Amino acid sequence: MNDRMPPLAADKMTAAQRKAAEEMTAGPRKGVKGPFVPLLRSPELMDRLQKVGEYLRFGSALDQRISEFVMLVVAREWTQHFEWFVHVPLGRKAGIAEDTIAALADGRRPSGMSEHEQIAYDFCDELLRTKGVCATTYGRAVAAFGEPGVIDMIGVAGYFTTVSMVMNVAHSPPPADPAVKALAPFPL
């Protein structure tokens, strides 16, 4: 599959694209990679989305383990290799169990999840399948994460859905690291 929107050469960027790329490189992401490569075609959108992503990854009301877990649920839902490869190691570091990651990779509901992982899985699974959640699922999520956590969980699911769609349409490749590609849990 050919990369439809490869990185832009600096000398081919507009002033707005250069400014957005420089700001992203100076921030916590340290460069334009992943979804931001194709998004650079719309520097205003890229800038706004990356700020949302920065908040969701580094400042949300959710525990890091739950945020990474939701990211993996969404990455698998969209068969998004770049996000999967980036977030599996971060999920491991945050404490997501290997058997949970393996089940998600296989497209199965993991067994042996923590209570908060179960609640987050059920919430995201229902949201992605039905485009909403029932009162029971909503009540469990609010009891576990509070209203700010529920909103941030929806934000994580929505943000990672957006960047997954961008990269799937752009045919963005997973990271070039052969060791990472060797871990492909679902078809590339």
Side-chain angles (χ1 to χ4, degrees):
M1 186 168 17
N2 290 337
D3 187 354
R4 291 176 173 162
M5 296 185 188
L8 296 171
D11 64 340
K12 302 287 187 208
M13 290 183 197
T14 66
Q17 289 170 327
R18 268 192 302 281
K19 181 178 184 257
E22 288 167 2
E23 288 175 3
M24 182 165 277
T25 300
R29 296 179 195 283
K30 306 291 185 220
V32 178
K33 19 186 175 192
F36 305 108
V37 171
L39 281 166
L40 190 55
R41 273 73 177 176
S42 178
E44 181 77 17
L45 178 60
M46 183 192 84
D47 182 56
R48 291 171 187 253
L49 272 177
Q50 76 89 11
K51 287 177 182 165
V52 170
E54 185 177 314
Y55 165 75
L56 292 170
R57 283 201 54 210
F58 306 115
S60 91
L62 293 173
D63 176 78
Q64 189 67 28
R65 187 180 91 254
I66 297 303
S67 287
E68 292 296 336
F69 180 78
V70 171
M71 292 172 205
L72 292 178
V73 168
V74 173
R76 184 60 189 100
E77 173 70 21
W78 283 92
T79 312
Q80 191 6 262
H81 297 100
F82 182 92
E83 294 300 342
W84 182 265
F85 291 130
V86 167
H87 290 283
V88 162
L90 296 172
R92 287 177 176 137
K93 185 177 177 182
I96 300 172
E98 287 299 322
D99 59 335
T100 297
I101 293 168
L104 291 174
D106 289 343
R108 295 181 288 110
R109 183 183 201 283
S111 59
M113 292 181 282
S114 72
E115 181 182 2
H116 279 183
E117 287 172 338
Q118 288 177 32
I119 293 166
Y121 182 89
D122 292 344
F123 186 93
C124 292
D125 178 62
E126 187 175 335
L127 178 60
L128 293 167
R129 278 184 307 100
T130 71
K131 314 306 181 242
V133 296
C134 70
T136 301
T137 302
Y138 174 78
R140 288 181 68 218
V142 170
F145 308 118
E147 287 180 335
V150 168
I151 291 298
D152 284 355
M153 187 164 47
I154 296 166
V156 170
Y159 172 79
F160 279 90
T161 292
T162 299
V163 298
S164 292
M165 288 190 299
V166 167
M167 288 189 289
N168 283 357
V169 168
H171 290 181
S172 300
D177 181 348
V180 170
K181 285 186 177 181
L183 301 173
F186 37 85
L188 284 173

